[in-house]
Amino acid sequence: VTSETQAYLESHPELPEFAQDAAALAHALKHGMSFGGELRLDSALTFDTHAGHTTLALPNQEQLFQRIAQVFEIFSGIEYRAGESMFDRTTFVYLQEMSRPPELNGADGKDHNPHTNAIFLAGRGVNGGRTIGGSVFVPASGSDLGVPALTAAPFDFASQRVTPDAQALIYP
């Protein structure tokens, strides 16, 4: 931890642990002590909602997005050089290992769906405001598992568009 990092953390005693980690990472990147890092923003949140999805999912998603916004705010507030923040110099990637199916199970929950996922990017080098890719609803009658599913839509990498003529990457 550099003296600059220590001073930042001392001037922001209200920061929760994940935000302190974000500030330490921003300073490590700024001073060339690291070229990348990983922040666990969701460790205290419940996304594995096999039961109680309708009451747990939305509040946890809102809290996660608030945490991401706070990380962006921290990086935006740390100057890299005149007129440029650490947010301007950093590419952010957020992902989870899987998504959820479209329907609730018998316990008001959602099980795992490894056939599609969402990843988002922000910061340096990202041409924002776009959605790339998509998903396709597969009814139970068309699924190998016999349950409805969302699966990655066929994607044409040359045109960067979802198109039925492209090759599907995953089959339900």
Side-chain angles (χ1 to χ4, degrees):
V1 177
T2 67
S3 58
E4 181 182 359
T5 306
Q6 191 63 38
Y8 182 91
L9 294 174
E10 287 173 3
S11 68
H12 296 84
E14 76 289 353
L15 291 178
E17 186 176 349
F18 79 88
Q20 292 175 25
D21 292 345
L25 176 59
H27 284 95
L29 293 167
K30 175 181 178 176
H31 295 289
M33 296 165 30
S34 178
F35 294 103
E38 178 180 336
L39 296 170
R40 289 294 313 244
L41 303 180
D42 58 1
S43 60
L45 303 175
T46 302
F47 291 103
D48 206 11
T49 55
H50 294 279
H53 182 82
T54 55
T55 57
L56 293 172
L58 185 57
N60 285 333
Q61 287 175 350
E62 288 173 343
Q63 190 172 358
L64 173 65
F65 290 127
Q66 290 169 358
R67 290 177 182 190
I68 291 169
Q70 190 170 10
V71 169
F72 291 172
E73 184 179 309
I74 289 167
F75 272 71
S76 294
I78 297 174
E79 185 178 65
Y80 177 71
R81 60 180 164 214
E84 195 173 27
S85 72
M86 285 305 299
F87 183 86
D88 300 324
R89 300 290 302 177
T90 307
T91 303
F92 297 86
V93 178
Y94 181 81
L95 63 115
Q96 289 197 341
E97 79 278 10
M98 64 173 155
S99 66
R100 298 288 173 188
E103 82 291 340
L104 292 171
N105 64 23
D108 187 39
K110 292 205 174 201
D111 298 315
H112 297 186
N113 178 14
H115 298 293
T116 188
N117 204 345
I119 298 172
F120 74 78
L121 306 169
R124 183 180 182 162
V126 176
N127 182 5
R130 302 183 313 155
T131 300
I132 298 175
S135 58
V136 175
F137 177 75
V138 179
S141 61
S143 168
D144 291 343
L145 301 175
V147 295
L150 290 175
T151 187
F155 186 76
D156 178 29
F157 287 93
S159 67
Q160 295 190 354
R161 296 191 184 283
V162 171
T163 174
D165 299 330
Q167 178 161 345
L169 302 175
I170 299 174
Y171 298 93

